[in-house]
Each structure stands twice: as structure tokens, then as C-alpha cells.
Amino acid sequence: MAQIRGVMVIALLVAGSVHAQDGTLTPEQLFERVAPSVWTVQTSDARNQPLSLGSAVVIAPGTLVTNCHVLRKAHSVSVGHENVSYGATLDAPDPERDLCILKVRNFKAPAVQIGDPAALKTGARVYAVGSPRGLEQTISDGLLSGVRRSDDGGFTALQVTVPISPGSSGGGLFDTHGRLVGITTFQLKEGQNLNFALPATWIAQVPERAKALLAAQSSKDKPEAAPTHATSAPSGRVFAYRLTDRITQRAQEVTYQVDRIDGERVVFNGGARVESTNGEVLSQTGAIGGEADLAMPPGGWFRPGSQVGASWKLAYLTQVGSPMKMDLQARVAGEEKLSLAGQEFNTLRIEFEGYTDRNLALRGMGMGRYHATAWYAPELARLVRFEVKSRGGTSTGQYVMEESLELTAIR
């Protein structure tokens, strides 16, 4: 019996030696190694109210990678880990691949080792570390269930059985050696356990792709062909507004500055907002205008070409943090002259009536009545005033909102 026990001890020692030489980590060892490098991302609006949660992975000193959609409409960004928080700034965006690089000053967290997802075989075990639903330092395991490729054979996504929830976006997908092989990104709710990550090998390409994107946008500048709308003024034109919380009477100035004109596109605030020359909002990654930005329908609060009496229905989800559901009826109620910013404008007044669900996770407990009025000035091709009132929720979580945004200066 003693001889058998001796053989068993030797076998276990040999197995442990092979394990160490192979470099495969236990889940406990893997988490201990990579957890200091995975941080929670928190974005806020212009009023410093929370917008969305996500995750980010440290890839170099003072440098993290996350998903661009986590930063959508953000006015400010911070990264946190175990009650420590740092302000972060966007350094390089690659919106086509949904990867954005963040920079953080005086940031000492260790960087992960980046692996090659091409070396993984279908069925390989992988681990996700992130902040699903804001629950920091969560580890989950699963299998690489497929590699999705484009027609030319290039990576498009890694399909995994690892659970992914809101807040996981931008987190790390690791192999059994603790190497970063993907950035967890999204799930298909229509299917069962269909979760996806972006290949980590794309991270190194983000800075050059961001530069190429900026160069491509700059090359499209054609000021001589710009339309005659007021928004096609030379770069530097600023539209200043006063954002007022009518309940607290707190007010602040927000500005939309024209950076450049790209043909039919007007680029504001470093690319955070892009409008067409008729005022349609084509894209928006910041939300400095309060509710006017946060709850904006696709394309904006005005439909180009609409006349007095026109009406349309709006049913959409906003993409700020936990999505808000909006169900509104819009109507161009009439024409109105307004004296703003030292000028007089002929405007169209659009009324919005309906409902909003401010927190879908509460299953209707954030439902409230919604009324907004927007004044659109055709000569400026933009809104010059916006007012909103909304009240809702339940006894355990009521909200009241009354806010205005008004043009105060054109500089």
C-alpha cells in the first residue's frame, strides 16, 4: 500500500510539473493575474449624471482599450477599480471596428499580455473578466464556439459561450495562459448563448486606423462647394446655448463649435457631433445639451421638409447607458417668431407628446408622461429652443424633469 501511495505522489508531482511547464493557469491563478488590468468605465452627461457602464483593459502604461459604443454621447469618462477612479480621455477611435483607446494620466495599473486568437482552436476554453451590470471584477468561463470571418477570410468576431451582459462591453477575453485574445462586445438576444468578442490583434491597428479616418475626413473638405446655410460658416463658428434645470434654476452654457465642413456634413466639437447642412443629426457621441441630446430621436427633433400641420410617430430606444424607450407623437404646430441671441428668427414649433420609460431594467417602473417643444429655425438649419417636461416612476422611484435649452449667442 505504501508503494502505491508513493507512486501516486510521484504521479501528482509529475502532473504539477507538466502543468507549470505548459503555462496553463487555473481560474484562480488567471483571475489573480489579469484582474488588476481590467477596469470599469463610467460615462456621464453634461450635468454629470451617469450615462453608461462598461469595461476596459489596460494594454500599455496609461492606456486602455474599450468599445466605442460604451462612450456614445459621453461628456466625460472615468475608469474605476476597487474604489479608485481616474478621469480618462479618448485618444484614438476606430468606430468601424468598435474599438477606442483611452488615455489616463498618472495611471500605474499593469498591462495585459496580448495573445493571438488565430492560435485558438474551436472548443478552446476562454475566460471573460469585466463588469457586467456594473458588478466589478466578474470572471466567467466558456468555450470558443466559433470564429466568424469575412468573405476574404479575415476575422470579424470570436463567438463564445462565455456570458456577456450590459457592462461587459470592452472587457477582456483571455485564454488559459492569461493572454488577452479578445474584447467582449455584444450578445445576440434573439439566440441562446450567442456572445461575441473582437479579436485582440485589432488593438494594435487602432491608432493608425484612427489617423487614417481623420485624414480621410479632412481630405473631403470643400469649403467652396458648401451650401449657404448659416451652419456652413467658416470653421470656428460657435452656437452658444443656455441649459437650464427649471426645478433647481441651475443654468450652464453649452457650445457647439463648427470644426469643418465635409461637403454636406458639418462637424462639431472635435467630431462629437455631425449634422447635415439641413440640420439633421447624423451622429453624436457627446450629450452636452441635456435632454435635448440625451433623448434625441434618430436624426434629430426636426424632420427636414416638414410643414405646418405635418405629424409623425416616433418609437425608438436611445443608446445612452441603460436605453430609454421613447414613444412620442410629433406635430408641427405652427410658425413663431423668436428673439434670441440678439436676432429675430422665424421658427417652426414642433410639439411632442407621449411616454418615456427611463429605466427599462425596472420593467415599467420608470414609465412617465413626456411633453417637449422644439423650435427650429430654417435659416440656421438648427434648433434654437427646446423645452421638456416629464414626470413618472412609482412611489419607490419617482422622477420629475423640467428643462430648457435656448440659443444665447452666435460667435
Side-chain angles (χ1 to χ4, degrees):
M1 180 64 70
Q3 184 177 8
I4 294 175
R5 288 176 179 171
V7 172
M8 291 177 63
V9 170
I10 294 173
L12 289 171
L13 289 173
V14 171
S17 176
V18 172
H19 175 82
Q21 292 176 359
D22 177 62
T24 300
L25 304 175
T26 65
E28 295 88 347
Q29 292 170 329
L30 183 141
F31 181 78
E32 183 178 4
R33 175 178 296 185
V34 306
S37 306
V38 182
W39 288 61
T40 300
V41 177
Q42 171 73 68
T43 68
S44 302
D45 62 19
R47 295 170 294 176
N48 204 34
Q49 296 299 306
L51 287 181
S52 63
L53 285 171
S55 304
V57 183
V58 183
I59 55 172
T63 307
L64 302 94
V65 62
T66 187
N67 287 138
C68 294
H69 74 258
V70 172
L71 310 179
R72 189 173 185 268
K73 296 187 179 182
H75 183 70
S76 61
V77 181
S78 64
V79 294
H81 183 97
E82 295 182 348
N83 298 320
V84 177
S85 180
Y86 295 85
T89 57
L90 177 62
D91 183 63
D94 184 359
E96 182 181 1
R97 287 181 168 177
D98 198 18
L99 289 175
C100 280
I101 301 297
L102 297 173
K103 287 290 188 179
V104 181
R105 298 181 61 182
N106 303 317
F107 187 73
K108 306 298 183 182
V112 298
Q113 179 184 358
I114 297 180
D116 182 6
L120 295 177
K121 295 182 178 180
T122 300
R125 182 158 296 278
V126 288
Y127 298 87
V129 179
S131 303
R133 298 290 182 182
L135 300 173
E136 290 189 13
Q137 302 299 293
T138 297
I139 183 172
S140 304
D141 69 334
L143 302 177
L144 176 65
S145 52
V147 176
R148 303 304 158 208
R149 299 181 180 274
S150 59
D151 292 339
D152 61 5
F155 273 115
T156 57
L158 304 174
Q159 181 182 337
V160 296
T161 62
V162 182
I164 294 177
S165 303
S168 298
S169 294
L173 184 72
F174 299 90
D175 65 12
T176 55
H177 297 268
R179 297 173 297 210
L180 183 71
V181 292
I183 299 298
T184 53
T185 302
F186 65 95
Q187 63 177 156
L188 291 181
K189 295 182 179 180
E190 297 81 2
Q192 292 186 347
N193 207 18
L194 297 178
N195 309 298
F196 296 87
L198 303 175
T201 44
W202 282 1
I203 297 172
Q205 302 168 20
V206 170
E208 285 302 317
R209 287 175 60 87
K211 290 180 182 178
L213 177 63
L214 179 60
Q217 292 176 339
S218 299
S219 68
K220 295 178 182 177
D221 287 340
K222 297 180 181 178
E224 70 282 359
T228 58
H229 292 298
T231 46
S232 64
S235 298
R237 169 64 64 88
V238 173
F239 297 93
Y241 291 76
R242 181 185 297 109
L243 175 64
T244 304
D245 183 330
R246 291 187 168 181
I247 297 176
T248 64
Q249 295 304 310
R250 294 181 59 184
Q252 60 179 306
E253 183 183 75
V254 297
T255 57
Y256 299 88
Q257 178 170 330
V258 178
D259 293 331
R260 61 186 183 277
I261 311 298
D262 294 339
E264 296 294 314
R265 292 156 42 94
V266 185
V267 181
F268 293 83
N269 296 2
R273 185 185 181 101
V274 179
E275 299 178 4
S276 69
T277 51
N278 64 6
E280 182 182 4
V281 180
L282 304 177
S283 66
Q284 180 178 239
T285 58
I288 61 174
E291 184 74 6
D293 286 349
L294 295 174
M296 181 185 296
W301 294 99
F302 175 76
R303 286 191 172 180
S306 297
Q307 303 295 324
V308 175
S311 64
W312 59 93
K313 187 171 179 59
L314 293 163
Y316 60 97
L317 292 177
T318 65
Q319 297 299 317
V320 181
S322 297
M324 296 186 298
K325 183 179 180 181
M326 309 294 292
D327 190 353
L328 306 174
Q329 181 70 40
R331 181 175 65 92
V332 183
E335 297 179 345
E336 191 172 331
K337 284 190 176 182
L338 294 180
S339 294
L340 300 168
Q343 302 181 44
E344 189 171 81
F345 299 102
N346 294 313
T347 70
L348 292 172
R349 187 179 78 255
I350 308 102
E351 302 284 349
F352 300 85
E353 293 280 356
Y355 296 89
T356 177
D357 191 341
R358 313 303 285 185
N359 193 331
L360 297 179
L362 296 179
R363 298 185 180 275
M365 295 177 65
M367 183 71 74
R369 291 281 304 182
Y370 197 89
H371 173 77
T373 305
W375 287 264
Y376 175 83
E379 61 186 288
L380 288 181
R382 64 187 305 100
L383 294 184
V384 292
R385 178 186 287 173
F386 180 83
E387 297 179 354
V388 60
K389 292 182 180 181
S390 183
R391 177 191 296 266
T394 66
S395 58
T396 58
Q398 293 186 344
Y399 75 90
V400 179
M401 176 176 57
E402 188 171 346
E403 190 176 278
S404 67
L405 183 71
E406 185 172 273
L407 182 69
T408 56
I410 302 176
R411 302 192 285 265

